[in-house]
Amino acid sequence: MPVVWSDRHRRHEPGGEVWVGVRTPGTELPERAERVRVALTDAGARFVDAERHPDEALLEVHDPALLEYLAGAWEDWEAAGLTADPGQDRVVPYLFPHPGLLAQDPPPVPTAITARAGRFAYDTMTLIGPGTWDAARAAVDVALTAADLVLAGEPASYACCRPPGHHATRDCFGGSCYLNNAAAAAARLGAGGDGRVAVLDVDAHHGNGTQAIFYSDPEVLVGSAHVDPAAGWFPHFLGFAAETGAGPGEGANRNLPLAPGSGDEAWLAAVAELAAWARDGGVRALVVALGVDAAAGDPESPLRVSADGYRAAGRVLGGLGLPTVVVQEGGYDLAAIGRLVVEALTGIEEGRA
Ligand code: SP5
Ligand code: ZN
């Protein structure tokens, strides 16, 4: 299947993560996408450069206030002198508008640049530097170009997105994600209005942003298999089985939390359950949010899936026989990420055959 790519991902250098107040090296590195590119090149893949898309497609899934903030966040931070005093070379939030704090909903966008970040960031780990907006915007273009290829008749396409997107909601960002690439692709696939779309998320972490964006939407099924947040894993506050959608979207969200240590058997059973759910829901197009951080060697999750497991999951998802856009999410084991992606994509092609 064609691989959609943008060199602009390299402009996003997170510069680490502030975790429990400490600047740690972080794992969402430019090298991740480069390793995937090399593995796909070796596998003989056909590369397509991302095409620039107007903001309209993005406004289907994001609040204009978030886009406006992210587009200027770095320049505002620098202009406010914060790189010199107190000497912080990335945008880091410090104050968060919790519901219990507020007199206004939605909260105002604060005047102080230091306070503004917390209006949109929900964690301290997802830092903004000079090239972050350009790269995040390019990742959406990658996903939208991949969706366009499928709309033009390709059976499947792979969006090699970086930074990832599935933790970004309509109006806030976190979990190494800024803009929701998979949600933008799903909105694009569903734009014709003639049938439901499914987003099936196999990243090790709950796809909370995608869930939130489509939570009341009966036309986009969102399913996620992930390590149980109740067992102590990000995103901690959601991803539970009881979250099934709201209002007209009731029944259109499905979460399958897995115990830490789960390997191929339990994980593949969950992936198969999500696939059967989408099939029974009568969907006509599929977005696979492909995180490969459920793999055994990944530093960010306790799931123990093998490379063969990713291949088998690909076969299950490809077996649905739907027009499919695969969107890259997490995966932080640099030595394994390339092979894991190749196995998953190969599995999807085998499943379709
Ligand atoms: C897209 C994606 O996979 N995002 C995952 C973000 C989860 N990050 C959670 C990080 C939690 C803190 N990690 C600290 C590691 C210290 N050794
Ligand atoms: Zn993840």
Side-chain angles (χ1 to χ4, degrees):
M1 69 183 83
V3 174
V4 186
W5 173 263
S6 170
D7 284 336
R8 284 157 66 200
H9 87 83
R10 295 173 188 144
R11 298 211 56 222
H12 174 49
E13 296 179 294
E17 299 181 345
V18 176
W19 186 64
V20 299
V22 176
R23 185 93 164 240
T24 64
T27 50
E28 203 294 285
L29 304 168
E31 188 64 15
R32 296 178 55 245
E34 299 301 323
R35 297 287 180 109
V36 172
R37 187 174 58 84
V38 168
L40 288 168
T41 301
D42 290 348
R46 169 164 63 97
F47 283 75
V48 176
D49 255 318
E51 273 179 31
R52 184 79 195 179
H53 286 68
D55 279 348
E56 278 70 64
L58 199 44
L59 289 164
E60 293 293 320
V61 295
H62 286 297
D63 190 303
L66 174 66
L67 304 189
E68 193 182 330
Y69 171 71
L70 288 174
W74 171 253
E75 285 74 16
D76 289 348
W77 188 265
E78 209 179 23
L82 295 159
T83 54
D85 177 14
Q88 179 53 271
D89 70 353
R90 293 293 185 276
V91 177
V92 184
Y94 95 98
L95 180 68
F96 299 93
H98 285 267
L101 172 74
L102 296 177
Q104 283 180 53
D105 181 28
V109 174
T111 303
I113 297 303
T114 48
R116 205 170 280 177
R119 168 66 180 75
F120 299 100
Y122 63 75
D123 66 36
T124 61
M125 303 181 296
T126 310
L127 309 186
I128 296 173
T132 298
W133 168 251
D134 193 34
R137 191 60 184 72
V140 174
D141 286 330
V142 169
L144 291 171
T145 302
D148 288 344
L149 288 170
V150 163
L151 288 169
E154 287 283 352
S157 62
Y158 169 63
C160 192
C161 293
R162 182 185 168 271
H166 72 152
H167 296 306
T169 75
R170 266 186 199 277
D171 72 348
C172 55
F173 69 97
S176 303
C177 302
Y178 305 86
L179 298 172
N180 197 315
N181 311 308
R188 183 68 141 214
L189 291 179
D194 44 50
R196 291 174 126 182
V197 174
V199 182
L200 299 184
D201 189 323
V202 301
D203 186 279
H205 305 98
H206 175 235
N208 62 291
T210 317
Q211 165 174 302
I213 287 169
F214 297 118
Y215 208 57
S216 301
D217 189 342
E219 295 304 307
V220 181
L221 300 188
V222 176
S224 182
H226 48 266
V227 61
D228 189 353
W233 292 86
F234 188 89
H236 301 283
F237 297 100
L238 66 181
F240 303 104
E243 295 155 19
T244 55
E250 180 57 60
N253 194 83
R254 188 92 189 265
N255 285 328
L256 300 177
L258 296 164
S262 295
D264 288 356
E265 196 179 343
W267 185 76
L268 283 167
V271 173
E273 200 172 328
L274 293 179
W277 176 67
R279 189 193 57 225
D280 295 347
V283 309
R284 64 167 175 81
L286 175 66
V287 173
V288 176
L290 178 65
V292 294
D293 47 4
D298 197 279
E300 294 288 348
S301 109
L303 298 180
R304 312 274 317 155
V305 176
S306 70
D308 285 348
Y310 268 97
R311 179 101 161 222
R315 281 192 219 104
V316 168
L317 296 166
L320 290 170
L322 294 164
T324 300
V325 178
V326 183
V327 176
Q328 186 63 45
E329 300 288 356
Y332 308 97
D333 179 356
L334 291 176
I337 185 171
R339 169 158 185 229
L340 291 165
V341 170
V342 169
E343 294 289 349
L345 299 184
T346 304
I348 288 172
E349 289 185 328
E350 288 169 349
R352 298 185 60 90

